[in-house]
Amino acid sequence: MTAIDSPVRLVGPDDADLVLYVSNQSFEDDNVRLKLAVDGVTVVDGDFPVKGQHNWIRFPLSLSSGSHDLTAESDTGATLRESFQVPGDEARYAVVNYWADDEPPKLEWHFQTDPVYFS
């Protein structure tokens, strides 16, 4: 994932400035490789099986306060670029979902101030 001395790194959930969830939501592509980076630092690089479609993997990240950029890409050609802000004194939450149904593959972004609850 990331080096311990990187300005962006994986941490325990209680120490996270951004709690990022990643999921494959596509039965069309039952296994997709996703790569995500924050400020150019790779934080996710792996295969995501769809399983029962409700399979989010959590990545708690330490970031400095201020503006950040997320880039994401799939092995099927879907890409995503988003900017977001973290205050530094409380966590933010984001979800990146992969979809590939009858349309071309896409990555979807949700960003919020409250914890994410999946149903």
Side-chain angles (χ1 to χ4, degrees):
M1 291 297 166
T2 61
I4 191 84
D5 59 346
S6 172
V8 178
R9 66 185 185 280
L10 287 169
V11 294
D14 293 338
D15 297 322
D17 299 295
L18 176 70
V19 181
L20 174 65
Y21 294 90
V22 180
S23 180
N24 177 2
Q25 293 291 300
S26 175
F27 288 117
E28 294 293 319
D29 292 329
D30 61 349
N31 194 45
V32 67
R33 185 157 192 89
L34 300 174
K35 184 174 183 179
L36 286 77
V38 174
D39 299 337
V41 177
T42 300
V43 295
V44 175
D45 187 358
D47 294 326
F48 287 79
V50 70
K51 294 188 178 181
Q53 199 177 37
H54 298 289
N55 182 36
W56 287 272
I57 308 300
R58 179 177 62 181
F59 298 90
L61 302 173
S62 174
L63 309 171
S64 61
S65 61
S67 180
H68 297 277
D69 295 306
L70 175 127
T71 58
E73 58 186 34
S74 72
D75 63 354
T76 62
T79 61
L80 174 74
R81 288 178 179 73
E82 294 289 339
S83 294
F84 62 95
Q85 296 273 334
V86 295
D89 59 349
E90 59 184 300
R92 294 296 185 252
Y93 303 86
V95 179
V96 173
N97 288 320
Y98 172 82
W99 294 93
D101 298 319
D102 294 333
E103 300 177 15
K106 66 181 177 180
L107 292 163
E108 179 180 74
W109 166 259
H110 298 280
F111 181 80
Q112 58 192 58
T113 58
D114 295 321
V116 176
Y117 298 101
F118 300 103
S119 57

